[in-house]
Amino acid sequence: MTSVRRTRRRIVTVTAALTAAVGLLLMTAAPASAEVKSTCGTYICVATAYQGRDYVQDVTVTTRDGLPGTLRAFVGDYRGSKANVLRWRFVVNREIRAYPRLAVCGGLDRGGRVIENHCVMIP
């Protein structure tokens, strides 16, 4: 009888450990459909995380020359800006419909002048 109890206890312990491990993996896994696309211009790089062809999660704009400026992100009706930074992540989390392709753009202003606007095209 004691060997049967030990065996049952082991099975329950192993099952609980496997269930916990699978649950932890599912909680930390990235969404399977999230994609990232990036491109660089002369002065800035623009990267976007998106799902499908309509949902934009975020836009990251980075200066290439290491000098700060006013970074901007724009897509559809979303407009965001951040002054005097080298890099900024704009959280959009919005569905934006544009056909046939969606342009997710970033920009750099310095001294009140537009230095560069650069776009990533989402297929």
Side-chain angles (χ1 to χ4, degrees):
M1 283 258 192
T2 58
S3 67
V4 172
R5 287 184 188 164
R6 282 187 211 150
T7 304
R8 283 184 186 164
R9 230 183 256 160
R10 285 183 187 158
I11 291 172
V12 169
T13 303
V14 168
T15 304
L18 287 173
T19 302
V22 168
L24 184 62
L25 285 173
L26 288 175
M27 286 186 341
T28 59
S33 62
E35 295 182 51
V36 175
K37 192 169 182 183
S38 64
T39 184
C40 292
T42 306
Y43 296 99
I44 61 172
C45 290
V46 179
T48 184
Y50 63 96
Q51 293 180 2
R53 53 189 272 175
D54 294 331
Y55 190 81
V56 177
Q57 290 177 324
D58 61 57
V59 180
T60 302
V61 183
T62 308
T63 63
R64 293 184 72 186
D65 57 8
L67 299 174
T70 300
L71 297 180
R72 295 177 288 110
F74 48 98
V75 55
D77 62 347
Y78 175 83
R79 301 281 185 267
S81 66
K82 185 68 175 179
N84 296 321
V85 292
L86 303 172
R87 174 187 178 110
W88 195 257
R89 179 176 170 247
F90 299 91
V91 179
V92 180
N93 284 333
R94 203 177 284 187
E95 185 172 338
I96 301 165
R97 299 200 185 274
Y99 294 103
R101 298 174 74 186
L102 180 63
V104 179
C105 303
L108 172 64
D109 298 347
R110 288 188 180 138
R113 293 183 16 212
V114 174
I115 302 299
E116 181 178 23
N117 288 328
H118 196 74
C119 297
V120 175
M121 300 300 289
I122 296 177

